[in-house]
Structures are given as C-alpha cells and as structure tokens.
Amino acid sequence: MRVVIQRVSHASVTIGGAVKSQIAEGYLILLGIEEADGQEDVSWLCRKIIGLRIFDDENGMMNRSIGDIQGEILVVSQFTLMASYKKGNRPSYIRAAGHGTAIPLYETFCKELSAMLGKEVQTGEFGADMKVELLNDGPVTICMDTKNKE
C-alpha cells in the first residue's frame, strides 16, 4: 500500500458536479493498493497515520497528531499511485490491485482509520471520476509505502 498524506486546511471530493465529501482541518489521504497488500499493510499504515505529529503546537513546532487537534480525514482511492514508469513515457498500472482485492482493503482501511480516529473518515467513491480540491497547509506532504517500512 502506498499513501500520500497532505495536511490540509480543507478538502473536498466532487463527483458529477455534486460534493460527496468535505473536511475542514486534517488530512487528505490518497491511497494506492496493489495485489500483494493485506490486513498487515492496512494496520501498519493506520497506526503510522494516526501517530504522525505534523500539526503545529503552541510554539509553531510540528508536534501534534491528528487526534490532538481533533482533525478530520478524507481518503481517496488512487490506483495511479502504483504506476510503473520505467519503460517509455506511458505509465503502466499493472501493479495496481483489481477491484476484488482493492475495494475490500480500501473499505477496511477506512473503517480501521475511523476507529482509531474516533470519528468517521470521509471518502471518495472507488472507481469514480472525482474532482479533488484541497488547500495544502504548510505545505506538508508525506509519502508512505508499506513495502518500505524501514
């Protein structure tokens, strides 16, 4: 699993001209899933995301977690995070998981993250053509990959 975590002042997902989800201060998380991913990847990523201390404290130091600030999370599935660009100029998405693997893991990821956060995580719609809008705060952007834990 691969994620791009962006600290945001606000973010939203629009599908077909209608806003599906929106959040205030918190994280916009783009999530890529490959066939080899499983529950261990979900659990590891959720723990790391909830534990990240990238929000400013009273001294302007990044020392607070998403829970500390009572922030919100918006998770958007993004198979293009699994792109292979080694050959030619047209990316290959062969590493991206098919729906049979990806949808259950995406749903599990969102449920586990919600439980750890203590409130419902907002989502996009798996496989939809989504318009994602955000105001990156900082900017602060963190990339994580469960195949590169060390």
Side-chain angles (χ1 to χ4, degrees):
M1 291 185 127
R2 195 174 279 170
V3 293
V4 174
I5 303 160
Q6 297 183 77
R7 185 179 80 176
V8 298
S9 296
H10 61 83
S12 65
V13 172
T14 301
I15 302 170
V19 175
K20 182 193 184 300
S21 299
Q22 59 187 3
I23 63 166
E25 185 179 31
Y27 293 149
L28 169 65
I29 298 176
L30 306 175
L31 174 66
I33 301 169
E34 65 180 315
E35 284 295 335
D37 292 330
Q39 180 59 47
E40 182 180 317
D41 299 288
V42 169
S43 297
W44 184 84
L45 265 180
C46 288
R47 283 191 310 273
K48 293 298 279 187
I49 290 166
I50 293 298
L52 273 179
R53 297 185 315 166
I54 60 172
F55 291 94
D56 292 347
D57 64 15
E58 61 281 351
N59 298 315
M61 300 294 294
M62 285 195 276
N63 202 27
R64 290 188 173 149
S65 71
I66 188 85
D68 293 337
I69 65 144
Q70 298 180 346
E72 299 179 283
I73 297 176
L74 172 57
V75 179
V76 176
S77 63
Q78 187 155 4
F79 75 93
T80 59
L81 287 178
M82 305 315 294
S84 174
Y85 44 83
K86 291 183 180 184
K87 285 182 157 182
N89 293 319
R90 185 168 157 213
S92 167
Y93 303 105
I94 198 159
R95 286 187 51 209
H99 285 141
T101 299
I103 292 173
L105 283 175
Y106 172 76
E107 291 172 350
T108 299
F109 177 84
C110 292
K111 285 178 189 169
E112 196 163 318
L113 204 54
S114 291
M116 290 181 175
L117 184 62
K119 61 175 120 177
E120 187 175 352
V121 165
Q122 300 300 305
T123 64
E125 183 179 312
F126 196 92
D129 180 18
M130 297 174 273
K131 306 302 180 206
V132 179
E133 187 173 321
L134 67 128
L135 180 58
N136 191 315
D137 179 22
V140 175
T141 302
I142 308 279
C143 299
M144 291 184 190
D145 192 320
T146 59
K147 305 305 183 260
N148 196 13
K149 294 178 185 174
E150 296 178 20

